Amino acid sequence: MAARASARRARPVPAPRPDPPRVHRTPAGEDLAAGQAADAIARFLDATVPTAARRAEDLAGTPARVAAAWLEDLLDGYRRDPAVVLAGAMPSRGKDLVAVTGIDFHSMCPHHLLPSRGLAHVAYVPGGQVVGFGQIARLVDCFAHRLVLEEVLARQVAEALVVHLGARGAACLLDAEQACLTVRGERRRGARAHAQCFLGLLESDRRLQARFLALVKGRAPEGER
C-alpha cells in the first residue's frame, strides 16, 4: 500500500518561466504608441496597395482605426498582469477539481500576424485558495491578447495558476482555427489546431486528468453516471 500511495504523488511542477513583461504606459505614452502604429500602418498600405487601386474615401482614417484595434483589442494583454488578474483569491479547503470549459478566445500568431480563434478549457486543483470563474476567463485573455503561439499560450495559462494561485495542479487545453493554416500556405479550411499543458496533479493523476477531459468532451466521467 505504501508503494502505491507513493506512486500517486504529484510529480514536481517544473520551474515556470517568468511571466512575459507587462507594458506600462502613461496616457502620453499611449498616444505616442498609437501615433507610431498609425504611421507604420499608413506606410504598410503605401507599400501593399497599388496607388491606382486606392480609394481615398475608403482608407480615410484607416491607419488610426487599425492602430486602435491592435492596441486596445488584439494586443491589450501586454497591459495585463496575471498576478493582478488572479488577485483577491478566496481561502478554500476544497481539494477537488475546478474547471471552466468553453472559454472563447482570440489571439495573434507572431509568425504571420494572423489571428486564431477558438475555445479554451482550463482546470486546476486548489492549493488552499480559489478564484472566481470570470477571473479564469480573464487569465486566458491576459495571455491570448498578445503575439503568442498556441502551445505557449496553453503553458502560460497553466503555469500562472500554479505560480499565482498556488494550485496543486493545472491544465489548459486549446482548440482553435488558425488563419495561418486556413487562409494562406496550405489553406486547409476547417482544420483545427490543438495544444495542451498539464502540470502537477493534473499531469500525474490519470483519473483526475480523465475527469477533466470528460468535462471538455461534455460527458459525465466514469463512476459519475
Side-chain angles (χ1 to χ4, degrees), residues 51-185:
T51 303
R54 295 181 200 171
R55 286 168 48 91
E57 60 270 30
D58 291 342
L59 295 177
T62 294
R65 285 192 297 270
V66 174
W70 276 84
L71 292 171
E72 297 172 11
D73 301 311
L74 301 178
L75 298 182
D76 58 303
Y78 288 117
R79 300 196 300 274
R80 305 188 192 190
D81 185 338
V84 174
V85 172
L86 295 176
M90 300 165 284
S92 173
R93 295 181 179 179
K95 298 184 183 299
D96 206 354
L97 184 70
V98 177
V100 183
T101 62
I103 303 169
D104 63 291
F105 78 94
H106 62 79
S107 63
M108 299 299 296
C109 169
H111 293 163
H112 297 95
L113 299 186
L114 290 174
S116 65
R117 185 173 184 178
L119 295 176
H121 312 285
V122 181
Y124 69 97
V125 180
Q129 52 185 359
V130 296
V131 292
F133 297 136
Q135 287 171 273
I136 302 299
R138 291 195 294 274
L139 179 66
V140 173
D141 287 345
C142 172
F143 291 114
H145 293 187
R146 308 180 185 205
L147 298 180
V148 63
L149 297 174
E150 190 171 333
E151 55 270 30
V152 174
L153 173 59
R155 174 162 288 276
Q156 287 176 336
V157 171
E159 286 183 342
L161 290 168
V162 172
V163 173
H164 302 299
L165 190 59
R168 296 187 298 139
C172 179
L173 275 68
L174 303 176
D175 169 10
E177 179 180 290
Q178 300 277 350
C180 293
L181 180 61
T182 60
V183 303
R184 60 158 302 281

Side-chain angles (χ1 to χ4, degrees), residues 38-64:
D39 288 344
I41 292 159
R43 293 195 299 272
F44 172 79
L45 291 172
D46 287 341
T48 56
V49 181
T51 303
R54 295 181 200 171
R55 286 168 48 91
E57 60 270 30
D58 291 342
L59 295 177
T62 294

Side-chain angles (χ1 to χ4, degrees), residues 5-45:
S6 175
R8 290 178 184 171
R9 291 176 186 164
R11 299 174 189 170
V13 177
R17 301 162 189 164
D19 287 329
R22 181 186 176 198
V23 176
H24 299 272
R25 290 197 183 105
T26 63
E30 294 285 352
D31 290 342
L32 177 61
Q36 291 175 332
D39 288 344
I41 292 159
R43 293 195 299 272
F44 172 79
L45 291 172

